[in-house]
């Protein structure tokens, strides 16, 4: 594992909930970007050129010298108006032979968020944060243990993806790339810090920026994007109606309300049956298979009876179960199920015709795996867990 730090000074103190990051072109639609150019006394197409530099070539304000199709005299004003630095890397940690990189980012108001880039032979996935912290309070999750700081803006979400795309496109490690030469970012999963559907407007705009072709966005395939939710039913139904065939992942973790109330406290508002009804509606409308996320917690939710109950809920539906051996977190003493327990659980699901896989947990040693993203170690302890 290697660590690098590039901490910037002069950060504003964090004012929770009140500060808004500065305007960035990734926050804006094409018309809004053009209006900014016009307000600077420039032709509207200058905004498109700037956007292309950002979305296609992943250039930052520091790279303005490379924007040679923009007259040098107008670059500073354009860049200042639409390419502020929103995220500064505080720490970058590599593991898995350099194929996994976790970056801790500091926002302009001092909040910390994280993203994780994972390179595989056939694809590259970045796991991004949608909020600084999370207010959903799932007790097994490091982010939940720390509470919510604030929603991220659209551009703060997009910036994490653009950074990953830049890293993948870099020719050498000296230029910031991962070992193995240049590649292409193919997948984005909203499984970092935060509950994406609790930050709906910013999430939706970010999805458009990721999917729209240049100069309006990165041009990623919607099928490569996964939004993971704790189960906010009205927002799942709303997302189904947006006409974006992104994959929905539902964090279920228990087939029964009694246990799910404990593991996923928002279940008291939207119980299992309602969450799954919304998930099946999502699958019907989009034609996309829904991922059911299930962290296997030793002696808590991993009994064969619960596997059978889960299978009964999912049989015949357009669904796939992702079993995640629990990643340990500081605020809970729960452990992952033993390998045998994992095998039995997955076999019982499969025996009942339910597709299921045990997810590989990249990045565990650098606390970059699911549920370990906390940025700051939580100070609270949970007695008895
Ligand atoms: N808030 C969203 C997305 C972020 S969490 C959600 O809950 O779906 C991403 C995934 O990591 C979720 O499936 C979540 O349940 C899972 N997760 C959280 N803590 C975990 C842990 N300690 N071990 C394994 N998975 C965990
Ligand atoms: Fe929030 Fe998801 Fe963690 Fe629950 S599992 S606390 S919803 S980030």
């Amino acid at each position: 594992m290697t660590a690098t730090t590039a901490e910037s000074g002069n950060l504003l103190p964090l004012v929770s909930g009140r500060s808004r990051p500065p305007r960035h072109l990734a926050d804006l639609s094409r018309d809004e970007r053009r209006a900014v150019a016009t307000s600077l006394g420039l032709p509207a197409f200058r905004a498109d050129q700037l956007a292309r530099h950002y979305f296609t070539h992943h250039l930052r304000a520091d790279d303005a010298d490379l924007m040679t199709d923009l007259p040098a005299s107008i670059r500073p004003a354009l860049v200042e108006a639409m390419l502020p630095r929103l995220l500064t890397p505080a720490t970058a940690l590599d593991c898995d032979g350099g194929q996994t990189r976790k970056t801790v980012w500091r926002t302009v108001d001092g909040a910390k968020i994280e993203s994780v880039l994972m390179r595989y032979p056939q694809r590259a996935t970045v796991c991004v944060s949608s909020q600084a912290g999370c207010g959903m309070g799932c007790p097994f999750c490091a982010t939940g243990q720390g509470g919510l700081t604030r929603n991220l803006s659209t551009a703060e979400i997009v910036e994490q993806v653009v950074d990953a795309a830049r890293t993948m496109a870099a020719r050498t490690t000296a230029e910031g790339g991962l070992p193995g030469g240049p590649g292409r970012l193919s997948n984005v999963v909203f499984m970092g810090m935060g509950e994406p559907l609790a930050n709906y407007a910013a999430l939706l705009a970010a999805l458009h920026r990721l999917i729209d072709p240049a100069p309006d966005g990165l041009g990623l395939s919607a099928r490569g994007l996964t939004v993971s939710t704790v189960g906010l039913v009205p927002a799942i139904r709303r997302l189904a109606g947006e006409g974006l065939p992104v994959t929905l992942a539902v964090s279920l973790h228990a087939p029964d309300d009694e246990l799910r109330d404990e593991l996923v406290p928002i279940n008291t508002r939207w119980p299992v049956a309602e969450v799954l009804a919304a998930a099946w509606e999502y699958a019907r409308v989009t034609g996309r298979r829904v991922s059911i996320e299930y962290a296997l917690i030793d002696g808590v939710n991993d009994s064969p009876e619960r596997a059978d109950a889960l299978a009964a809920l999912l049989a015949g539906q357009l669904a796939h179960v992702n079993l995640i051996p629990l990643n340990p977190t500081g605020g809970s003493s729960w452990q992952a199920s033993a390998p045998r327990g994992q095998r039995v659980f997955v076999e019982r699901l499969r025996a009942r015709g339910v597709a299921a896989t045990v997810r590989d947990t990249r990045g565990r040693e650098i606390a970059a795996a699911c549920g370990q993203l906390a940025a700051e170690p939580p100070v609270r302890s949970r007695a008895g867990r």
Side-chain angles (χ1 to χ4, degrees), residues 81-105:
M82 284 191 276
L83 274 187
R85 183 185 263 284
L86 298 179
L87 301 179
T88 305
T91 318
L93 292 164
D94 289 355
C95 72
D96 301 320
Q99 302 299 293
T100 299
R101 175 174 298 170
K102 161 170 136 171
T103 308
V104 179
W105 302 100

mmCIF file of all heavy atoms in Angstrom, residues 81-105:
data_model
loop_
_atom_site.group_PDB
_atom_site.id
_atom_site.type_symbol
_atom_site.label_atom_id
_atom_site.label_comp_id
_atom_site.label_asym_id
_atom_site.label_seq_id
_atom_site.Cartn_x
_atom_site.Cartn_y
_atom_site.Cartn_z
ATOM 1 N N ALA A 81 -15.220 31.483 -14.180
ATOM 2 C CA ALA A 81 -16.686 31.454 -14.060
ATOM 3 C C ALA A 81 -17.238 30.036 -13.984
ATOM 4 O O ALA A 81 -18.287 29.809 -13.387
ATOM 5 C CB ALA A 81 -17.312 32.181 -15.247
ATOM 6 N N MET A 82 -16.526 29.063 -14.580
ATOM 7 C CA MET A 82 -17.173 27.741 -14.686
ATOM 8 C C MET A 82 -16.318 26.537 -14.322
ATOM 9 O O MET A 82 -16.796 25.419 -14.326
ATOM 10 C CB MET A 82 -17.747 27.547 -16.095
ATOM 11 C CG MET A 82 -19.027 28.330 -16.292
ATOM 12 S SD MET A 82 -19.883 27.894 -17.811
ATOM 13 C CE MET A 82 -19.024 28.909 -18.997
ATOM 14 N N LEU A 83 -15.046 26.756 -14.009
ATOM 15 C CA LEU A 83 -14.219 25.597 -13.623
ATOM 16 C C LEU A 83 -13.511 25.834 -12.283
ATOM 17 O O LEU A 83 -12.284 25.678 -12.192
ATOM 18 C CB LEU A 83 -13.171 25.296 -14.700
ATOM 19 C CG LEU A 83 -13.547 24.416 -15.885
ATOM 20 C CD1 LEU A 83 -12.303 24.121 -16.729
ATOM 21 C CD2 LEU A 83 -14.181 23.106 -15.450
ATOM 22 N N PRO A 84 -14.243 26.186 -11.244
ATOM 23 C CA PRO A 84 -13.575 26.337 -9.944
ATOM 24 C C PRO A 84 -13.096 24.974 -9.451
ATOM 25 O O PRO A 84 -13.646 23.941 -9.856
ATOM 26 C CB PRO A 84 -14.698 26.855 -9.039
ATOM 27 C CG PRO A 84 -15.933 26.264 -9.624
ATOM 28 C CD PRO A 84 -15.713 26.254 -11.119
ATOM 29 N N ARG A 85 -12.094 24.960 -8.604
ATOM 30 C CA ARG A 85 -11.671 23.688 -8.005
ATOM 31 C C ARG A 85 -12.628 23.372 -6.863
ATOM 32 O O ARG A 85 -12.724 24.128 -5.901
ATOM 33 C CB ARG A 85 -10.243 23.797 -7.465
ATOM 34 C CG ARG A 85 -9.754 22.474 -6.898
ATOM 35 C CD ARG A 85 -8.379 22.636 -6.266
ATOM 36 N NE ARG A 85 -7.306 22.246 -7.169
ATOM 37 C CZ ARG A 85 -6.984 20.975 -7.448
ATOM 38 N NH1 ARG A 85 -7.671 19.994 -6.925
ATOM 39 N NH2 ARG A 85 -5.976 20.717 -8.252
ATOM 40 N N LEU A 86 -13.350 22.272 -6.990
ATOM 41 C CA LEU A 86 -14.338 21.895 -5.969
ATOM 42 C C LEU A 86 -13.785 20.875 -4.992
ATOM 43 O O LEU A 86 -14.159 20.852 -3.818
ATOM 44 C CB LEU A 86 -15.584 21.297 -6.642
ATOM 45 C CG LEU A 86 -16.345 22.216 -7.585
ATOM 46 C CD1 LEU A 86 -17.536 21.480 -8.177
ATOM 47 C CD2 LEU A 86 -16.808 23.474 -6.850
ATOM 48 N N LEU A 87 -12.935 19.983 -5.499
ATOM 49 C CA LEU A 87 -12.419 18.888 -4.673
ATOM 50 C C LEU A 87 -10.893 18.914 -4.721
ATOM 51 O O LEU A 87 -10.304 18.981 -5.793
ATOM 52 C CB LEU A 87 -12.912 17.539 -5.204
ATOM 53 C CG LEU A 87 -14.418 17.328 -5.283
ATOM 54 C CD1 LEU A 87 -14.731 15.939 -5.855
ATOM 55 C CD2 LEU A 87 -15.065 17.481 -3.907
ATOM 56 N N THR A 88 -10.293 18.825 -3.551
ATOM 57 C CA THR A 88 -8.834 18.753 -3.466
ATOM 58 C C THR A 88 -8.470 17.414 -2.865
ATOM 59 O O THR A 88 -9.017 17.053 -1.810
ATOM 60 C CB THR A 88 -8.308 19.881 -2.553
ATOM 61 O OG1 THR A 88 -8.797 21.116 -3.059
ATOM 62 C CG2 THR A 88 -6.794 19.907 -2.518
ATOM 63 N N PRO A 89 -7.574 16.658 -3.510
ATOM 64 C CA PRO A 89 -7.244 15.372 -2.911
ATOM 65 C C PRO A 89 -6.497 15.570 -1.595
ATOM 66 O O PRO A 89 -5.532 16.334 -1.527
ATOM 67 C CB PRO A 89 -6.351 14.694 -3.960
ATOM 68 C CG PRO A 89 -5.877 15.784 -4.852
ATOM 69 C CD PRO A 89 -6.853 16.915 -4.760
ATOM 70 N N ALA A 90 -6.994 14.951 -0.547
ATOM 71 C CA ALA A 90 -6.309 15.020 0.749
ATOM 72 C C ALA A 90 -5.398 13.807 0.898
ATOM 73 O O ALA A 90 -4.282 13.919 1.387
ATOM 74 C CB ALA A 90 -7.339 15.062 1.880
ATOM 75 N N THR A 91 -5.874 12.662 0.454
ATOM 76 C CA THR A 91 -5.096 11.432 0.553
ATOM 77 C C THR A 91 -5.446 10.530 -0.618
ATOM 78 O O THR A 91 -6.605 10.466 -1.015
ATOM 79 C CB THR A 91 -5.468 10.647 1.835
ATOM 80 O OG1 THR A 91 -5.599 11.550 2.905
ATOM 81 C CG2 THR A 91 -4.417 9.613 2.172
ATOM 82 N N ALA A 92 -4.437 9.846 -1.139
ATOM 83 C CA ALA A 92 -4.715 8.797 -2.127
ATOM 84 C C ALA A 92 -4.010 7.536 -1.661
ATOM 85 O O ALA A 92 -2.839 7.568 -1.294
ATOM 86 C CB ALA A 92 -4.220 9.213 -3.508
ATOM 87 N N LEU A 93 -4.749 6.440 -1.615
ATOM 88 C CA LEU A 93 -4.207 5.160 -1.152
ATOM 89 C C LEU A 93 -4.409 4.123 -2.237
ATOM 90 O O LEU A 93 -5.504 4.008 -2.775
ATOM 91 C CB LEU A 93 -4.956 4.696 0.101
ATOM 92 C CG LEU A 93 -4.765 5.504 1.376
ATOM 93 C CD1 LEU A 93 -5.862 5.151 2.372
ATOM 94 C CD2 LEU A 93 -3.398 5.217 1.971
ATOM 95 N N ASP A 94 -3.337 3.389 -2.555
ATOM 96 C CA ASP A 94 -3.449 2.342 -3.572
ATOM 97 C C ASP A 94 -3.314 0.970 -2.917
ATOM 98 O O ASP A 94 -2.553 0.810 -1.967
ATOM 99 C CB ASP A 94 -2.324 2.470 -4.613
ATOM 100 C CG ASP A 94 -2.532 3.686 -5.507
ATOM 101 O OD1 ASP A 94 -3.576 4.335 -5.378
ATOM 102 O OD2 ASP A 94 -1.634 3.967 -6.322
ATOM 103 N N CYS A 95 -4.028 -0.019 -3.428
ATOM 104 C CA CYS A 95 -3.804 -1.410 -3.022
ATOM 105 C C CYS A 95 -4.152 -2.326 -4.188
ATOM 106 O O CYS A 95 -4.366 -1.831 -5.304
ATOM 107 C CB CYS A 95 -4.579 -1.761 -1.752
ATOM 108 S SG CYS A 95 -6.342 -1.922 -1.976
ATOM 109 N N ASP A 96 -4.184 -3.630 -3.954
ATOM 110 C CA ASP A 96 -4.409 -4.616 -5.020
ATOM 111 C C ASP A 96 -3.424 -4.403 -6.165
ATOM 112 O O ASP A 96 -3.807 -4.369 -7.341
ATOM 113 C CB ASP A 96 -5.861 -4.541 -5.548
ATOM 114 C CG ASP A 96 -6.897 -4.790 -4.465
ATOM 115 O OD1 ASP A 96 -6.659 -5.684 -3.639
ATOM 116 O OD2 ASP A 96 -7.916 -4.092 -4.439
ATOM 117 N N GLY A 97 -2.138 -4.236 -5.814
ATOM 118 C CA GLY A 97 -1.112 -4.054 -6.840
ATOM 119 C C GLY A 97 -1.330 -2.794 -7.660
ATOM 120 O O GLY A 97 -0.954 -2.729 -8.824
ATOM 121 N N GLY A 98 -1.948 -1.795 -7.060
ATOM 122 C CA GLY A 98 -2.156 -0.527 -7.762
ATOM 123 C C GLY A 98 -3.455 -0.485 -8.546
ATOM 124 O O GLY A 98 -3.795 0.544 -9.136
ATOM 125 N N GLN A 99 -4.227 -1.597 -8.530
ATOM 126 C CA GLN A 99 -5.452 -1.635 -9.340
ATOM 127 C C GLN A 99 -6.654 -1.012 -8.621
ATOM 128 O O GLN A 99 -7.718 -0.851 -9.214
ATOM 129 C CB GLN A 99 -5.782 -3.083 -9.741
ATOM 130 C CG GLN A 99 -4.666 -3.763 -10.532
ATOM 131 C CD GLN A 99 -4.354 -3.049 -11.848
ATOM 132 O OE1 GLN A 99 -5.166 -3.026 -12.745
ATOM 133 N NE2 GLN A 99 -3.174 -2.447 -11.943
ATOM 134 N N THR A 100 -6.505 -0.727 -7.330
ATOM 135 C CA THR A 100 -7.559 -0.048 -6.575
ATOM 136 C C THR A 100 -6.971 1.224 -5.974
ATOM 137 O O THR A 100 -5.901 1.188 -5.368
ATOM 138 C CB THR A 100 -8.091 -0.948 -5.435
ATOM 139 O OG1 THR A 100 -8.653 -2.133 -6.011
ATOM 140 C CG2 THR A 100 -9.165 -0.249 -4.616
ATOM 141 N N ARG A 101 -7.664 2.317 -6.173
ATOM 142 C CA ARG A 101 -7.185 3.579 -5.589
ATOM 143 C C ARG A 101 -8.329 4.288 -4.896
ATOM 144 O O ARG A 101 -9.346 4.596 -5.505
ATOM 145 C CB ARG A 101 -6.603 4.501 -6.667
ATOM 146 C CG ARG A 101 -6.207 5.873 -6.107
ATOM 147 C CD ARG A 101 -5.499 6.732 -7.138
ATOM 148 N NE ARG A 101 -4.259 6.091 -7.566
ATOM 149 C CZ ARG A 101 -3.525 6.512 -8.612
ATOM 150 N NH1 ARG A 101 -3.920 7.575 -9.294
ATOM 151 N NH2 ARG A 101 -2.416 5.887 -8.942
ATOM 152 N N LYS A 102 -8.137 4.527 -3.612
ATOM 153 C CA LYS A 102 -9.129 5.314 -2.866
ATOM 154 C C LYS A 102 -8.610 6.731 -2.717
ATOM 155 O O LYS A 102 -7.452 6.939 -2.341
ATOM 156 C CB LYS A 102 -9.346 4.688 -1.489
ATOM 157 C CG LYS A 102 -9.981 5.626 -0.451
ATOM 158 C CD LYS A 102 -10.378 4.886 0.795
ATOM 159 C CE LYS A 102 -9.993 5.630 2.051
ATOM 160 N NZ LYS A 102 -10.550 5.028 3.265
ATOM 161 N N THR A 103 -9.439 7.689 -3.013
ATOM 162 C CA THR A 103 -9.068 9.090 -2.833
ATOM 163 C C THR A 103 -9.999 9.715 -1.808
ATOM 164 O O THR A 103 -11.221 9.586 -1.911
ATOM 165 C CB THR A 103 -9.179 9.873 -4.164
ATOM 166 O OG1 THR A 103 -8.438 9.174 -5.165
ATOM 167 C CG2 THR A 103 -8.622 11.280 -4.009
ATOM 168 N N VAL A 104 -9.415 10.350 -0.808
ATOM 169 C CA VAL A 104 -10.186 11.167 0.125
ATOM 170 C C VAL A 104 -10.106 12.594 -0.390
ATOM 171 O O VAL A 104 -9.006 13.109 -0.631
ATOM 172 C CB VAL A 104 -9.626 11.096 1.555
ATOM 173 C CG1 VAL A 104 -10.453 11.978 2.499
ATOM 174 C CG2 VAL A 104 -9.583 9.662 2.058
ATOM 175 N N TRP A 105 -11.273 13.191 -0.599
ATOM 176 C CA TRP A 105 -11.341 14.545 -1.145
ATOM 177 C C TRP A 105 -11.790 15.512 -0.054
ATOM 178 O O TRP A 105 -12.616 15.154 0.778
ATOM 179 C CB TRP A 105 -12.366 14.620 -2.277
ATOM 180 C CG TRP A 105 -12.144 13.702 -3.422
ATOM 181 C CD1 TRP A 105 -12.772 12.507 -3.649
ATOM 182 C CD2 TRP A 105 -11.246 13.892 -4.520
ATOM 183 N NE1 TRP A 105 -12.314 11.953 -4.823
ATOM 184 C CE2 TRP A 105 -11.381 12.782 -5.380
ATOM 185 C CE3 TRP A 105 -10.338 14.907 -4.860
ATOM 186 C CZ2 TRP A 105 -10.651 12.643 -6.552
ATOM 187 C CZ3 TRP A 105 -9.610 14.771 -6.034
ATOM 188 C CH2 TRP A 105 -9.771 13.661 -6.862
#
